[in-house]
Amino acid sequence: MILHQFIDYELLRLIWWVLLGVLLIGFAITDGFDLGIGTLLPFVTKTETERRIAINVIGPTWEGNQVWLILGGGAIFAAWPPLYAVSFSGFYLAMFAILAALILRPVAFKYRSKRDSDRWRSGWDIALFIGGFVPSLIFGVAVGNVLQGVPFRFNNDLRVFYEGTFFGLLNPFALLCGVLSVVMLIMHGSAYLMLKTDGPIAERARSYGALAALVTLVLYALAGIILWLGIDGYVITSAIDPHGPSNPLMKTVAEAPAGWFSNYGAYPVLLIAPILGLAGAALAFYGFRARAEIATLLVSALSIFGMIASVGVSMFPFILPSSLDPRSSLTVWDASSSHLTLFIMLVVTAIFIPLIVAYTSWVYHVLWGKVDANSVDDKSGHAY
């Protein structure tokens, strides 16, 4: 096959860096309100009917939303094998905790109403809370650790060694990022709950959402200040070959104060990402107060887009820096699969991503409208 030669290797690497960001942002925006509503469940609902309404807001769509996470994991495995190897081995216990929490969610959806027992339902409600809170927290903690550098290294045979511990991941800055992730998704979940419900649930979601939007704004700004003043970034100090082999050891890297902000100085247009993160959260706060349902959900999604995109553009071309041996840091240029592999995957992605988007759009069109007591009391057995 020579068709892949028509697309430059450098361009393919850039395309897959962008696609990885799209998949992660897609997961955060779609499944993000599922996680946010799960976290909010004990606080926005007071009666059994209200709890069933909240659960039925996300019950029919959570599986489709989680496809973005599966696609993201698959993209990392196929397009960035060293990234997959380091992150999934180094963060093994953290990944296990996320998967265990996510597994609780479908089980809770299916079994919660199988017995007419308040104690039984309360137990599964706790499971839904764990399934929302724990992944939200750990995803943010992971981002905080990536920004600080992960303690791994390669030897001369490119064998990876991870020398960190699970509790070492729970450092102050990483926990700050974890809390930011939780409140960001609570903001997003509140916006979706306000759109899909009415009455007391919507009012409580509006109150929690406004508070979460304000806290998101403050914590995001605080994280940026700490990153600027107290955490060194990484810069490549040797020549860069965008067409070079996938060998991280063929470069030199140094730590630099405020290194993660150098891209903004070189390309000021990139400032749009953190501006969207801040502006989206601020607009969401006003949207909650004004009861602007659709607009609030949209600007909440815009805030999530800006915050996650700001991490990507700040770190570029790094995708996983090493605090143990900066030279071992993984970048867009030295951690990808082969030219042919990236091209084949791009063709497959060009076919299936539009199908997934079209199907998801159709599902939300069919399920458009508010969930109320009448819909959950439907005797057809379709409600959770």
Side-chain angles (χ1 to χ4, degrees), residues 3-332:
L3 188 61
H4 69 285
Q5 299 294 340
F6 287 100
I7 301 183
D8 188 74
Y9 196 16
E10 176 185 359
L11 179 59
L12 275 172
R13 284 169 158 170
L14 279 173
I15 289 173
W16 272 103
W17 175 76
V18 172
L19 283 175
L20 179 60
V22 168
L23 294 174
L24 295 178
I25 291 171
F27 168 70
I29 290 177
T30 56
D31 205 42
F33 55 68
D34 294 342
L35 299 176
I37 291 174
T39 305
L40 280 168
L41 187 63
F43 309 103
V44 296
T45 60
K46 303 299 181 183
T47 66
E48 171 61 15
T49 298
E50 289 180 353
R51 282 187 283 274
R52 290 192 64 203
I53 290 173
I55 290 170
N56 278 273
V57 166
I58 58 176
T61 58
W62 73 268
E63 290 172 294
N65 294 338
Q66 201 158 282
V67 165
W68 294 99
L69 177 62
I70 298 170
L71 289 174
I76 292 173
F77 173 76
W80 312 99
L83 174 61
Y84 183 90
V86 174
S87 59
F88 279 70
S89 59
F91 296 159
Y92 180 80
L93 290 178
M95 294 289 185
F96 181 83
I98 289 174
L99 291 176
L102 290 176
I103 288 170
L104 286 176
R105 185 165 57 172
V107 178
F109 282 136
K110 299 300 182 183
Y111 283 93
R112 184 184 182 277
S113 298
K114 296 298 184 182
R115 292 179 59 187
D116 187 14
S117 166
D118 291 339
R119 185 175 180 181
W120 172 267
R121 294 187 183 117
S122 295
W124 290 117
D125 290 341
I126 294 172
L128 286 172
F129 169 78
I130 294 172
F133 176 79
V134 170
S136 302
L137 179 68
I138 296 180
F139 282 133
V141 168
V143 171
N145 278 281
V146 168
L147 286 168
Q148 296 174 91
V150 178
F152 72 93
R153 63 180 176 86
F154 290 100
N155 66 8
N156 291 331
D157 297 323
L158 293 183
R159 181 182 176 188
V160 64
F161 295 87
Y162 179 83
E163 300 185 15
T165 64
F166 174 77
F167 292 103
L169 300 175
L170 305 178
N171 56 78
F173 180 74
L175 288 174
L176 171 65
C177 292
V179 174
L180 170 58
S181 175
V182 171
V183 295
M184 177 183 74
L185 296 184
I186 286 176
M187 171 187 70
H188 199 47
S190 298
Y192 193 64
L193 206 54
M194 185 174 71
L195 173 67
K196 292 289 291 182
T197 64
D198 51 22
I201 301 177
E203 285 302 306
R204 294 186 198 112
R206 187 178 71 85
S207 298
Y208 282 112
L211 178 60
L214 193 59
V215 175
T216 298
L217 184 65
V218 172
L219 292 184
Y220 181 60
L222 178 61
I225 293 171
I226 294 174
L227 204 59
W228 172 270
L229 298 176
I231 296 176
D232 290 346
Y234 295 79
V235 293
I236 299 175
T237 56
S238 60
I240 302 174
D241 183 6
H243 300 86
S246 292
N247 184 345
L249 300 182
M250 296 179 65
K251 66 179 182 302
T252 57
V253 176
E255 296 185 40
W260 292 142
F261 292 84
S262 59
N263 284 342
Y264 297 113
Y267 307 98
V269 69
L270 298 178
L271 285 168
I272 192 172
I275 289 172
L276 287 177
L278 293 167
L283 291 171
F285 172 75
Y286 287 106
F288 282 114
R289 292 176 63 101
R291 295 179 171 83
E293 297 174 350
I294 296 178
T296 303
L297 182 64
L298 291 177
V299 295
S300 173
L302 192 66
S303 179
I304 292 174
F305 170 85
M307 291 183 190
I308 297 177
S310 68
V311 175
V313 299
S314 296
M315 293 178 55
F316 184 86
F318 292 91
I319 50 179
L320 191 65
S322 169
S323 60
L324 194 62
D325 175 24
R327 187 177 63 137
S328 295
S329 299
L330 303 178
T331 74
V332 173

Side-chain angles (χ1 to χ4, degrees), residues 342-353:
L342 294 182
F343 176 77
I344 293 174
M345 288 175 55
L346 183 61
V347 173
V348 174
T349 301
I351 295 172
F352 285 100
I353 289 293

